[in-house]
Amino acid sequence: MTAPEASTLVFGATGALGRHVLDALVARGISPETITAVGRNQLRLGELASAGFSTAAVDLSDSVGVAELVARHSDIVLISGSDPNRLAQHESVIEAAKNANVRHVYYTSGVRADDDRFEINADHRATEEALTASGVTYTILRNTWYIENYIQALAGPRFTGVLAAATGDAVVAAASRKDLAEALAIVVTTDGHGNVTYSLSGDTNFTYADIAEAMSVVLEREVTYQPVTPEELQVALINSGMDGELASFLVSLDETIAAGVFARVGDDLSRLLGRPTTGLVEGLTAE
């Protein structure tokens, strides 16, 4: 089976990264009519349909539905999912792409996905292994931590002037979703990226003191970084009314950051963009 020419299927199109990906693809000359946006947000899918995109609401656990959809496209953009069973869903998309002889699969993975010290990347690592073993032409884009992840964290410092985290003296080479989406669109619309893996980091290793300083600018008040122990953070989150399971997850995430998973890995992102990556203040004020 041969997929139609010049048709791009974007899984995860209604998510925060997916929205930027669609904009970036169109900005680089791909017509919305040749892009099928797949997502779970029905309101957003309706907006995309009105903007000229083809749309589809497919349960990624429905392997038959996924296969039918994949077979109608030449290029697949697989933005990594967030479901507990996302690995099985990713593998379903890859198997469908293999069976349909699609031209290219682009996967948004996680930075340092090949380092088994970081459990946060286990699904990414397994997805990469499935993709490289499939025989399908691929490009893997290992995305770093999003600057926008700190936007929600502005709520506490807005009132307390303190950014508390159990990240010690960690550095984070965060990048904006818009930059990462633009890099993906560049790879999709230019040659020379077949069977290549890119590690995408921001240009700068930001400390949490740097992040607090950027928050000071955005909030127009002084914000300082206060390192706390994982145990102290767990207690504080639970005392704030947070569910214990979620609190434990956030603490473990801080511990992973402290271990260096999101430190800078190179200049692939700025090289692809042909410009410096977005800074903290601009990223913290992004839509």
Side-chain angles (χ1 to χ4, degrees), residues 22-282:
L22 294 181
D23 289 343
L25 290 172
V26 172
R28 293 192 59 82
I30 297 185
S31 172
E33 291 80 7
T34 67
I35 300 173
T36 300
V38 182
R40 292 182 293 189
N41 186 324
Q42 293 291 343
L43 177 60
R44 177 59 178 162
L45 286 177
E47 294 170 349
L48 291 171
S50 297
F53 292 92
S54 297
T55 62
V58 176
D59 185 343
L60 290 185
S61 297
D62 175 10
S63 59
V64 174
V66 166
E68 291 176 351
L69 188 58
V70 167
R72 298 201 298 267
H73 298 82
S74 62
D75 298 278
I76 311 299
V77 174
L78 176 56
I79 296 174
S80 54
S82 57
D83 285 353
N85 63 333
R86 67 175 180 174
L87 175 56
Q89 294 175 343
H90 294 170
E91 290 174 336
S92 176
V93 172
I94 292 167
E95 182 66 18
K98 175 182 178 180
N99 293 337
N101 294 320
V102 303
R103 184 168 61 186
H104 206 124
V105 174
Y106 305 86
Y107 175 62
T108 63
S109 186
V111 70
R112 291 185 171 85
D114 56 343
D115 190 332
D116 59 13
R117 292 177 300 163
F118 301 114
E119 184 62 26
I120 191 174
N121 280 329
D123 286 348
H124 288 311
R125 185 161 53 252
T127 299
E128 289 188 10
E129 291 170 353
L131 185 53
T132 56
S134 71
V136 176
T137 299
Y138 66 86
T139 306
I140 294 169
L141 300 105
R142 292 176 175 165
N143 288 350
T144 187
W145 191 245
Y146 302 137
I147 293 175
E148 293 89 342
N149 287 341
Y150 294 109
I151 292 178
Q152 186 173 2
L154 289 168
R158 186 185 305 276
F159 296 102
T160 65
V162 174
L163 170 64
T167 52
D169 58 359
V171 293
V172 179
S176 72
R177 286 193 182 96
K178 190 172 183 180
D179 281 357
L180 294 166
E182 183 179 339
L184 191 158
I186 288 168
V187 169
V188 171
T189 56
T190 58
D191 296 328
H193 309 288
N195 299 337
V196 175
T197 297
Y198 293 106
S199 292
L200 304 182
S201 289
D203 289 340
T204 304
N205 268 329
F206 299 113
T207 66
Y208 267 65
D210 294 329
I211 296 167
E213 183 178 349
M215 288 181 170
S216 298
V217 174
V218 172
L219 296 175
E220 298 182 334
R221 65 158 298 168
E222 183 178 2
V223 177
T224 58
Y225 168 50
Q226 178 180 321
V228 296
T229 67
E231 294 76 18
E232 289 170 336
L233 181 60
Q234 176 90 11
V235 170
L237 292 175
I238 291 176
N239 287 344
S240 72
M242 184 176 293
D243 172 80
E245 185 174 350
L246 177 57
S248 295
F249 170 75
L250 293 178
V251 170
S252 68
L253 186 56
D254 270 17
E255 291 178 308
T256 299
I257 292 172
V261 66
F262 297 115
R264 191 168 186 268
V265 291
D267 63 354
D268 282 355
L269 181 54
S270 55
R271 284 194 305 103
L272 285 170
L273 296 175
R275 60 169 174 80
T277 58
T278 299
L280 282 174
V281 172
E282 183 179 353

